[in-house]
Amino acid sequence: MERTSACRGLAALSAAAALLAAGAASAHPHMWIDARAAIDIDGQRRIAAVRQVWLFDEMFGAYATQGLKKAKDGSLPAEVLQGMAQDWMKALGEPISHYFTRVTVGGKTAAFAAPRDARVDWNPKTARLTLSFTLPLAEPAAPGAGGAQVDIYDPTYFVAYAFDAKGAVSLGGPQGAACTSAYRKPKELDWKTMQQLAAIPADPDALPDELFAITKGLTHRIEVQCP
């Protein structure tokens, strides 16, 4: 993914979700997501889909729901949440965004079909929003001898992902138990780089080239092997 494309994708997501108001954040990254990913393996031991759950941080929840009419218990109407899901998936679905997800088999990037099961949930007690969705592959892909890689990342580090929960990465589907997966965390940033990133405003275009060369490698990788 080229840098310009990645930045435009992030801008589209920000606009669709009304993520940040002026002065909402002063450090980089500007959004944190506790993520879960389940990779579905079909009956022929091919990767068929990637199911994801993104739990956004409290600041995201505060700004994304600002001005929305809530019930006495703090809940949001179902139609409002569904509208959010549609807007976010439309923005994420642009070719330049690619859902911040990449599936690579045999050195080639697999294409996605239209996403399904998209929904947004709001927890008024924790003030956190959750986006859940399924990305089917346009054509199921067999991992082959070299295996397959599923990468989830934001190359500009505008969004920081974490797969820290137990069972955050799993295999599902008819033949999920016949395959294996290994999760690899991104490398940790050094203190100097973290300090430089912290000084960057909430604008993907503001990331200097030398830092972009580092952050684009902050990939959460799931390696899949099927006998």
Side-chain angles (χ1 to χ4, degrees):
M1 182 185 295
E2 295 181 358
R3 178 178 181 181
T4 301
S5 297
C7 292
R8 286 174 58 200
L10 287 165
L13 177 59
S14 296
L19 304 182
L20 297 170
S26 59
H28 203 95
H30 302 280
M31 189 191 309
W32 289 262
I33 293 176
D34 292 319
R36 305 177 72 91
I39 302 166
D40 285 340
I41 309 297
D42 68 10
Q44 299 180 50
R45 296 187 182 179
R46 302 175 301 180
I47 295 177
V50 181
R51 292 180 283 118
Q52 298 191 57
V53 178
W54 295 358
L55 176 60
F56 296 93
D57 64 79
E58 293 87 345
M59 182 178 290
F60 178 101
Y63 280 92
T65 62
Q66 188 175 30
L68 297 178
K69 187 175 182 180
K70 301 182 178 72
K72 290 184 178 180
D73 62 357
S75 61
L76 288 169
E79 59 270 21
V80 171
L81 295 174
Q82 186 57 37
M84 283 184 178
Q86 292 173 353
D87 288 343
W88 295 354
M89 294 309 296
K90 182 178 180 180
L92 286 168
E94 296 180 6
I96 55 178
S97 301
H98 208 59
Y99 305 100
F100 299 132
T101 304
R102 182 179 63 203
V103 177
T104 307
V105 182
K108 297 181 179 180
T109 300
F112 294 124
R116 63 174 187 261
D117 306 327
R119 60 176 290 169
V120 168
D121 293 293
W122 164 248
N123 187 330
K125 293 183 179 180
T126 61
R128 301 185 74 175
L129 286 160
T130 302
L131 172 65
S132 307
F133 60 96
T134 297
L135 290 177
L137 270 62
E139 295 290 340
Q149 296 79 45
V150 178
D151 294 319
I152 300 171
Y153 69 112
D154 166 20
T156 67
Y157 203 45
F158 189 89
V159 178
Y161 290 92
F163 288 82
D164 295 334
K166 184 177 180 180
V169 173
S170 62
L171 297 180
Q175 286 291 309
C179 303
T180 61
S181 66
Y183 166 66
R184 189 184 72 191
K185 278 187 174 183
K187 62 181 180 181
E188 292 187 7
L189 295 174
D190 60 80
W191 178 249
K192 180 181 178 181
T193 301
M194 291 175 64
Q195 289 294 96
Q196 290 176 305
L197 287 169
I200 296 174
D203 179 3
D205 291 320
L207 191 65
D209 290 339
E210 62 271 17
L211 289 179
F212 178 71
I214 297 173
T215 58
K216 71 178 182 180
L218 299 177
T219 300
H220 295 266
R221 171 163 291 186
I222 305 166
E223 298 178 343
V224 181
Q225 297 278 351
C226 292

